[in-house]
């Protein structure tokens, strides 16, 4: 699954702005498909009441199903009614009873199960009493006598609602070009929401074959995981029957129903590949279609295994909580992650589509074909897909330099993993809400980062051979972290578990400190890096792959060492002119040079470093500044060496640091910061200009837009703001007259300086936009105005029904990130919490709460803590603890630096 934000966990809403989820009686058609039987008795247990199974089955783990009855095949028949937002269903599950029992326990929630019957090979039929435990999301079937060991068929008749929470089987609405509203239905089952659509064994290692039949209105169409076997009309309903799936987990099952249009198939080998949209959006599919075919081809070659499905459909859903979901053969996407206009889309927008499509395609093997055994191993799916998306897109568009850009993703992981409240990549997961909380930067970005570090350490070819062995050994089954390490270790003939377990099973990451003890000896030492001091982390150690580049007497030497002790001494040649630790920048650790070594790097010229090395130099210096290890004056001086920088990723970390300062500086001192920003940025803006040059690459065009946006907003430059208004008028008259990469900056600047007329204009554009990216651009611009009255209108829209719930929580978070509206937004959150808790998808609500990290005053921090404590709010895992610690870090920095910041910026 791809997260809904930014490079997953970092939402870049605008250039220069903050980066940093009625019971319907069964219709006669459905009833005719099942044997008449006595209806089961259904009871609902009080919340949390124990559901221990009988002695024959053993005791029940509160969150794990017993293993005495195992499913092998589901024949599913669902009939959704889009008008009443309900569905009815029939599930015939082929199970094996491994131990005689009179009780069967499976998962179900928000369903009414009207009958449950089991038929054995002898033909005997037993009707069950059904007990539902909503709190534990379980269904207990009690039979009048013990079940025989062996294969049986369990038939369940059930009903449910198409909910509005973007999980389970839910409904999505959209407006066509005439303004008419239409409804469709879609599914989102990961992590544990298949149980909201049909009763099932909803755990990843209960793999089974699925055969779906959808009974729908004849005016609609349906898509599921596999090809259509038959399509007929029966009793006035369209009945679409789909082929058997491969053996897979419940969370990968998918049903999409509505008025849908498909591209013509492109074949990758024998696999037909199509993109589906609501009517009127097919023109936005070519780019996504191209990267889908390219990445599928790449993965078949890399993995050495053909695509495991019989077709591959990619579907854009108007309402979607995440970025995308890797359902086998029927990948679902948020529209912004699949559809883009190649002529008007920015490089960042197209890059986003390419990354997410490649990410989901990678899952068809890593996640779908081979699946983690339990949710603690989620990183095996998501980290690997994140790593593979970079490989695939880099192979497809090498000029995009995706591995350089991955530094931004690595930095996002660093920012969370430097917290005392971080967690290991893999840790015990018990309750479903704990699984939901694992979809974060530690699972995705940190996981992908350590995989990249390992790949570079043992070599890409050896790494690929290990991956192929892992996939072949566990195809159609489940695996754990150690299975991957064993396969990679055998390929590399190295002790991979010993090397990698520290990176996966312990929290945090190391800071490698580098000093030159004498002319011929370098000292490297490691300690855990944290933003706030902690005596408990001093004994942590990692096995750290350290590539080292040393230049002496005009000769450059490349060394590789493994730092396993607290400190190691490295011999140096005489006359060292320059050295750099973490060469190429792939290591998941920070580096801090002593002053003489850092000064030598700067004097030699940062232009001698690779872009990824320059990025790490700035990122590491800024992190140690925030933690208090490096004086702020030293960091601000360091930034003066980058006025000639032309890499967009290096500028990203520089701008993020300036944005942080903007969030903690006193309002009366903000003009000094604005002048500082202009001084740092203007040389690059002046050189790049406003218009693209012949032969200029896409990355430079993207950089131009981001720097213009930063000067106009963070630098508050009047000339830039006036030019932005002029360019925007040209753009509205004729889109082709302005480079698309500059447009987000224009919109952001005009929102920052805009009045009510501008607000109304942008609000109208958000409703009439012709592409998902344009809609998003204008929608989030409404969070960037300064006027309290206008921001109040924006906030009100988030709970009035005017805004999609997939977007609303992120808009609230964006207003909290606006220095002119953060206190207002926080008051809005407190006042309307109960309503937002009911309306917003849980994933969105969790992300919205991340906006509190911008409330960086001691008074607001205390208010935030009191609110969450008094409400006993649980965001799952350590999410809330991490938000509160990030806020504590910002307040600590503000208290430490606020008196000197003004003078430092002036000097």
């Amino acid at each position: 699954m791809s997260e809904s934000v930014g490079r997953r966990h970092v939402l870049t809403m605008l250039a220069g702005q903050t980066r940093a989820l009625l019971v319907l009686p069964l219709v006669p058609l459905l009833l005719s498909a099942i044997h008449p039987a006595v209806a089961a008795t259904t009871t609902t247990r009080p919340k949390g009441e124990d559901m221990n199974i009988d002695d024959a089955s053993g005791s029940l783990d509160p969150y794990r199903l017993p293993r005495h009855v195992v499913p092998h095949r589901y024949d599913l028949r669902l009939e959704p009614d889009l008008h009443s937002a309900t569905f009815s269903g029939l599930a015939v599950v082929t199970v094996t009873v491994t131990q005689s029992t009179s009780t069967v326990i499976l998962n179900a929630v928000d369903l009414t199960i009207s009958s449950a019957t089991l038929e054995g090979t002898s033909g005997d039929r037993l009707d069950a009493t059904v007990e539902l435990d909503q709190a534990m999301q379980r269904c207990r079937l009690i039979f009048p006598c013990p079940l025989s060991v062996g294969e049986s068929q369990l038939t369940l008749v059930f009903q449910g609602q198409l909910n509005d929470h973007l999980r389970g089987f839910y409904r999505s609405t959209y407006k066509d070009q005439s303004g008419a509203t239409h409804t469709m239905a879609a599914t989102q089952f990961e992590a544990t929401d298949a149980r909201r659509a049909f009763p099932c064994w909803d755990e990843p290692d209960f793999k089974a074959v699925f055969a779906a039949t959808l009974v729908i209105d004849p005016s609609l169409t349906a898509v599921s995981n596999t090809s259509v076997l038959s399509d007929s009309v029966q009793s006035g309903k369209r009945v679409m029957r789909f082929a058997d799936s491969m053996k897979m987990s419940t969370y990968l099952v998918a049903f999409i129903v509505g008025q849908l249009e498909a591209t013509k198939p492109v074949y990758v080998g024998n696999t037909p590949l199509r993109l589906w949209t609501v009517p009127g959006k097919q023109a936005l599919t070519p780019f996504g279609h191209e990267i889908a075919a390219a990445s599928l081809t790449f993965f078949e070659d890399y993995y050495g295994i053909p695509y495991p499905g019989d077709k591959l459909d990619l579907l854009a859903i108007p309402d979607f909580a995440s970025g995308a979901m890797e359902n086998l053969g029927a990948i679902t996407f948020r529209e912004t992650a699949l559809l883009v206009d190649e002529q008007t889309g920015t490089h960042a927008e197209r890059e986003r589509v390419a990354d997410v499509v490649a990410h989901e395609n990678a899952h068809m093997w890593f996640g779908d074909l081979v699946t983690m055994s339990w949710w603690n191993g989620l990183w095996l799916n998501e980290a690997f897909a994140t790593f593979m998306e970079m490989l695939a897109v880099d192979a497809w568009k090498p000029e995009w330099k995706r591995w350089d850009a991955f530094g931004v993703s690595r930095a996002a992981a660093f920012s969370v993993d430097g917290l005392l409240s971080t967690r290991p990549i893999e840790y015990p997961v018990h309750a479903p809400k704990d699984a939901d909380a694992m979809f974060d930067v530690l699972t995705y970005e940190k996981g992908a980062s350590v995989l990249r570090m390992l790949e570079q350490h043992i070599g890409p070819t050896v790494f690929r051979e290990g991956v192929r062995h892992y996939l072949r050994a566990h195809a159609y089954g489940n695996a754990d972290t150690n299975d991957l390490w064993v396969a990679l270790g055998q390929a590399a003939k190295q002790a991979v578990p010993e090397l990698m377990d520290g990176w996966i099973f312990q929290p945090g990451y190391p800071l490698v400190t580098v000093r030159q003890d004498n002319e011929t000896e370098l000292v490297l030492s490691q300690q855990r890096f944290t933003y706030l001091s902690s005596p408990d982390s001093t004994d942590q150690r990692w096995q750290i792959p350290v590539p080292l580049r040393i230049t002496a007497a005009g000769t450059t030497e490349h060394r590789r060492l493994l730092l396993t002790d607290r400190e190691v001494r490295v011999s140096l040649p005489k006359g060292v002119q320059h050295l750099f630790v973490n060469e190429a920048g792939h290591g998941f650790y920070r580096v801090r040079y002593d002053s003489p070594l850092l000064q030598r790097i700067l004097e030699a010229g940062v232009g001698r470093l690779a872009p990824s090395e320059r990025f790490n130099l700035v990122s590491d210096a800024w992190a140690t500044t925030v933690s208090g290890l490096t004086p702020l004056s030293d960091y601000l001086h360091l930034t003066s060496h980058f006025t000639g920088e032309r890499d967009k990723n290096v500028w990203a970390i520089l701008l993020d640091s300036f944005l942080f300062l903007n969030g903690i500086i006193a309002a009366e001192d903000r003009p000094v910061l604005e002048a500082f920003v202009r001084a740092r940025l203007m040389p690059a803006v002046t050189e790049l200009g406003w218009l693209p040059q012949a032969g200029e690459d896409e990355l430079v065009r993207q950089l131009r837009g981001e720097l213009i946006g930063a000067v106009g907003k963070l630098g508050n430059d009047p000339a830039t703001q006036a030019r932005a208004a002029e360019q925007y008028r040209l753009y509205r008259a004729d889109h082709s007259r302005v480079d698309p990469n500059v447009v987000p900056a224009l919109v952001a600047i005009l929102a920052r300086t805009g009045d009510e007329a501008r607000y109304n204009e942008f609000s109208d554009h958000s409703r009439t936009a012709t592409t998902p990216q344009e809609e998003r651009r204008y929608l989030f611009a409404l969070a960037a105005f300064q006027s309290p009255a206008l921001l109040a209108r924006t906030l009100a829209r988030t709970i009035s029904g005017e805004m999609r719930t997939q977007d609303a929580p992120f808009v609230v978070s964006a207003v909290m990130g606006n220095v002119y509206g953060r206190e207002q937004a926080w008051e809005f959150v407190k006042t309307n919490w109960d309503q937002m808790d009911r309306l917003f998808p849980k994933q969105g609500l969790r992300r919205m709460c991340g906006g509190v990290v911008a409330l960086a005053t001691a008074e607001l921090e205390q208010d935030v803590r009191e609110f969450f404590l008094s409400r006993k709010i649980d965001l799952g895992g350590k999410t809330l603890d991490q938000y509160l610690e990030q806020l504590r870090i910002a307040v600590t920095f503000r208290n430490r630096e606020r008196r000197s910041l003004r003078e430092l910026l002036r000097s």
Side-chain angles (χ1 to χ4, degrees):
M1 182 162 63
S2 177
E3 287 197 329
S4 56
V5 288
R7 248 282 336 128
R8 235 69 83 212
H9 13 310
V10 181
L11 174 63
T12 306
M13 292 168 295
L14 294 167
Q17 192 175 339
T18 306
R19 303 176 187 260
L21 152 42
L22 298 173
V23 176
L24 175 68
L26 287 174
V27 297
L29 178 62
L30 190 54
L31 283 172
S32 68
I34 63 174
H35 297 290
V38 179
T41 302
T42 303
T43 61
T44 301
R45 285 179 172 259
K47 279 192 173 183
E49 185 174 317
D50 185 33
M51 291 184 61
N52 288 329
I53 64 176
D54 54 46
D55 292 340
S57 307
S59 61
L60 179 64
D61 182 303
Y63 299 107
R64 300 292 292 269
L65 294 174
R67 324 296 294 186
H68 64 296
V69 179
V70 180
H72 300 291
R73 177 185 176 86
Y74 293 78
D75 287 281
L76 300 173
R77 186 181 180 98
L78 287 99
E79 182 166 354
D81 186 326
L82 301 189
H83 298 291
S84 63
T86 58
F87 63 92
S88 51
L90 168 71
V92 180
V93 189
T94 302
V95 300
T96 296
V97 179
T98 61
Q99 188 176 0
S100 181
T101 178
S102 59
T103 304
V104 175
I105 295 180
L106 61 160
N107 294 113
V109 65
D110 297 337
L111 295 174
T112 298
I113 301 176
S114 52
S115 72
T117 304
L118 188 132
E119 183 174 344
T121 53
S122 65
D124 296 336
R125 294 168 52 78
L126 296 173
D127 296 321
T129 297
V130 180
E131 293 183 350
L132 296 174
D133 185 335
Q134 293 289 336
M136 296 303 296
Q137 302 184 0
R138 287 188 169 181
C139 168
R140 179 178 179 177
L141 306 178
I142 304 170
F143 291 90
C145 60
L147 307 179
S148 300
V149 172
E151 187 174 289
S152 298
Q153 282 194 329
L154 176 64
T155 300
L156 300 152
V157 178
F158 55 94
Q159 304 85 37
Q161 284 187 292
L162 297 171
N163 68 75
D164 294 318
H165 300 297
L166 311 188
R167 63 180 180 175
F169 202 5
Y170 71 91
R171 64 177 178 175
S172 172
T173 60
Y174 63 93
K175 291 183 178 180
D176 62 21
Q177 293 176 344
S178 69
T181 300
H182 300 270
T183 302
M184 63 183 296
T187 54
Q188 171 57 46
F189 291 161
E190 192 177 24
T192 56
D193 288 318
R195 63 191 68 178
R196 299 179 188 275
F198 57 96
C200 57
W201 282 256
D202 200 13
E203 296 179 5
D205 63 343
F206 280 111
K207 283 193 165 186
V209 172
F210 294 84
T213 298
L214 289 167
V215 182
I216 59 177
D217 187 283
S219 65
L220 306 177
T221 193
V223 179
S224 190
N225 300 90
T226 53
S227 299
V228 177
L229 279 185
S230 66
D231 190 348
S232 61
V233 176
Q234 302 175 27
S235 303
K237 293 286 186 177
R238 185 178 184 182
V239 180
M240 300 182 67
R241 188 165 65 92
F242 297 88
D244 288 2
S245 75
M246 72 176 188
K247 191 178 178 183
M248 65 184 192
S249 303
T250 49
Y251 76 88
L252 298 170
V253 177
F255 320 115
I256 303 91
V257 178
Q259 294 181 357
L260 299 167
E261 297 177 343
T263 62
K264 291 181 179 180
V266 169
Y267 282 83
V268 176
N270 295 322
T271 304
L273 173 63
R274 296 176 298 179
L275 269 63
W276 294 76
T277 69
V278 298
K281 295 190 175 180
Q282 282 288 295
L284 305 178
T285 60
F287 183 83
H289 215 168
E290 184 182 355
I291 177 56
S295 59
L296 197 65
T297 302
F298 176 87
F299 293 135
E300 285 195 330
D301 176 68
Y302 186 92
Y303 295 134
I305 299 173
Y307 167 68
D310 65 354
K311 57 90 177 176
L312 182 56
D313 292 322
L314 283 65
L315 302 100
I317 310 298
D319 293 289
F320 200 77
S322 302
M325 177 61 213
E326 64 268 19
N327 316 301
L328 177 77
I331 305 173
T332 44
F333 292 79
R334 183 177 285 225
E335 288 186 326
T336 53
L338 181 62
L339 308 178
V340 66
D341 187 324
E342 291 188 82
Q343 300 304 313
T344 63
T346 68
H347 173 77
E349 290 163 352
R350 287 180 289 115
E351 191 176 75
R352 163 74 169 154
V353 170
D355 286 354
V356 177
V357 169
H359 180 100
E360 302 309 321
N361 278 356
H363 271 308
M364 299 299 101
W365 290 264
F366 234 99
D368 294 9
L369 181 65
V370 179
T371 311
M372 72 271 158
S373 298
W374 182 243
W375 297 109
N376 62 295
L378 177 69
W379 84 276
L380 282 170
N381 287 11
E382 299 301 346
F384 209 90
T386 303
F387 168 79
M388 290 303 301
E389 83 184 51
M390 291 289 107
L391 279 183
V393 177
D394 189 57
W396 182 55
K397 295 280 189 183
E399 66 274 18
W400 285 7
K401 302 176 182 177
R402 293 304 292 128
W403 283 116
D404 285 350
F406 186 70
V408 178
S409 300
R410 188 185 298 109
F414 277 146
S415 68
V416 174
D417 208 30
L419 304 176
L420 300 175
S421 54
T422 188
R423 61 166 178 84
I425 291 177
E426 181 171 329
Y427 73 105
V429 172
H430 302 291
K433 66 181 180 181
D434 295 331
D436 291 340
M438 289 189 73
F439 293 91
D440 64 4
V441 293
L442 300 176
T443 293
Y444 287 76
E445 273 69 18
K446 181 181 179 181
S449 296
V450 299
L451 287 173
R452 177 63 167 175
M453 180 173 65
L454 176 60
E455 182 223 29
Q456 294 294 295
H457 180 65
I458 66 176
T461 301
V462 171
F463 185 88
R464 183 184 64 184
E465 289 307 310
V467 168
R468 288 179 172 183
H469 176 70
Y470 168 83
L471 291 173
R472 288 192 297 267
H474 302 285
Y476 307 105
N478 299 84
D480 298 307
T481 295
N482 192 62
D483 296 317
L484 177 61
W485 292 161
V486 168
L488 291 170
Q490 289 174 347
K493 297 179 174 57
Q494 294 184 33
V496 170
E498 289 79 357
L499 171 65
M500 295 305 296
D501 279 354
W503 298 97
I504 302 301
F505 296 112
Q506 68 175 341
Y509 59 87
L511 171 69
V512 175
T513 300
V514 186
R515 62 184 174 86
Q516 192 168 346
D517 201 25
N518 53 58
E519 284 191 9
T520 59
E521 199 167 48
L522 191 69
V523 181
L524 279 71
S525 60
Q526 64 162 300
Q527 66 185 81
R528 179 177 170 182
F529 175 84
T530 56
Y531 291 101
L532 301 176
S533 60
S534 169
D536 298 331
S537 62
T538 55
D539 293 333
Q540 281 187 247
R541 297 286 185 278
W542 289 263
Q543 293 195 20
I544 309 174
V546 181
L548 176 64
R549 184 176 64 243
I550 303 169
T551 301
T555 301
T556 298
E557 177 187 357
H558 304 273
R559 295 188 192 176
R560 306 177 71 87
L561 59 95
L562 192 65
L563 176 57
T564 58
D565 296 327
R566 170 182 287 279
E567 183 176 286
V568 66
R569 292 177 174 268
V570 180
S571 62
L572 294 174
K574 291 184 178 180
V576 172
Q577 300 163 303
H578 177 269
L579 63 83
F580 196 83
V581 174
N582 194 14
E583 182 182 13
H586 299 301
F588 193 76
Y589 50 88
R590 295 197 182 277
V591 178
R592 182 182 179 220
Y593 298 92
D594 67 5
S595 293
L597 284 175
L598 178 59
Q599 190 59 32
R600 196 179 301 173
I601 292 172
L602 298 177
E603 288 175 354
V606 293
R608 296 182 55 175
L609 304 177
S612 58
E613 295 170 346
R614 300 198 300 272
F615 179 94
N616 283 355
L617 188 67
V618 176
S619 179
D620 295 348
W622 174 240
T624 56
T625 300
V626 174
S627 71
L629 294 173
T630 297
L632 178 58
S633 57
D634 288 1
Y635 175 76
L636 295 177
H637 174 69
L638 174 72
T639 65
S640 68
H641 290 268
F642 291 87
T643 56
E645 181 60 59
R646 297 300 178 265
D647 181 81
K648 69 181 184 67
N649 305 300
V650 178
W651 272 113
I653 192 65
L654 288 165
L655 294 178
D656 274 355
S657 68
F658 300 160
L659 196 66
F660 180 90
L661 295 177
N662 190 56
I664 60 96
I665 200 168
E668 60 270 21
D669 293 336
R670 189 160 286 124
V672 182
L673 175 62
E674 292 167 351
F676 173 84
V677 169
R678 293 194 298 270
R680 290 293 186 263
L681 270 65
M682 273 304 186
V685 171
T686 301
E687 179 185 312
L688 293 174
W690 285 69
L691 302 176
Q693 304 301 311
E696 189 175 69
D697 68 42
E698 291 187 64
L699 303 185
V700 172
R701 293 188 176 202
Q702 183 183 356
L703 174 62
R704 174 184 293 107
E706 292 177 355
L707 292 182
I708 288 172
V711 170
K713 285 172 51 63
L714 201 53
N716 196 24
D717 180 57
T720 301
Q721 293 164 355
R723 181 75 180 272
E726 175 189 334
Q727 290 289 303
Y728 184 73
R729 284 192 294 271
L730 292 175
Y731 170 74
R732 294 308 307 178
D734 181 356
H735 285 8
S736 67
R737 297 180 66 181
V738 177
D739 180 15
N741 293 284
V742 174
V743 174
L746 306 182
V747 174
I749 292 169
L750 296 182
R752 161 72 169 71
T753 59
D755 56 12
E756 185 176 11
R758 185 71 76 186
Y759 183 96
N760 292 335
E761 178 190 1
F762 284 6
S763 181
D764 290 341
H765 289 332
S766 72
R767 294 185 176 96
T768 61
T770 58
T771 71
Q773 289 77 18
E774 185 183 19
E775 176 187 357
R776 177 178 176 272
R777 184 178 303 142
Y778 286 110
L779 179 65
F780 280 93
L782 303 182
F785 284 76
Q786 293 189 50
S787 163
L790 298 179
L791 292 177
R793 288 172 57 184
T794 300
L795 291 167
R797 284 182 61 178
T798 65
I799 58 173
S800 68
E802 298 178 69
M803 196 178 295
R804 294 187 186 278
T805 57
Q806 69 171 12
D807 299 317
F810 297 102
V811 172
V812 175
S813 182
V815 181
M816 278 197 280
N818 180 344
V819 295
Y820 303 102
R822 54 190 174 187
E823 294 187 34
Q824 180 182 358
W826 173 237
E827 289 299 321
F828 181 85
V829 168
K830 292 190 296 180
T831 302
N832 297 282
W833 176 265
D834 291 335
Q835 185 174 359
M836 292 189 292
D837 192 23
R838 289 192 303 270
L839 284 176
F840 296 166
K842 295 307 178 187
Q843 183 186 45
L845 190 74
R846 187 162 55 245
R847 297 288 186 258
M848 180 195 76
C849 293
V852 302
V853 303
L855 307 176
T857 69
E859 297 77 17
L860 285 172
E861 181 193 15
Q862 182 178 354
D863 191 38
V864 167
R865 290 182 179 275
E866 289 176 353
F867 175 79
F868 285 108
L869 181 64
S870 64
R871 288 283 191 141
K872 298 180 180 179
I873 293 168
D874 185 357
L875 300 179
K878 293 189 173 184
T879 304
L880 180 56
D881 291 340
Q882 291 167 359
Y883 291 157
L884 295 178
E885 186 180 348
Q886 287 173 314
L887 177 56
R888 174 93 289 268
I889 291 165
V891 172
T892 300
F893 184 92
R894 182 177 186 270
N895 291 341
R896 185 178 71 233
E897 304 291 353
R898 61 181 176 179
R899 290 185 176 86
S900 61
L901 181 55
R902 178 188 180 96
E903 293 309 314
L904 287 174
L905 291 171
R906 284 186 183 278
S907 62

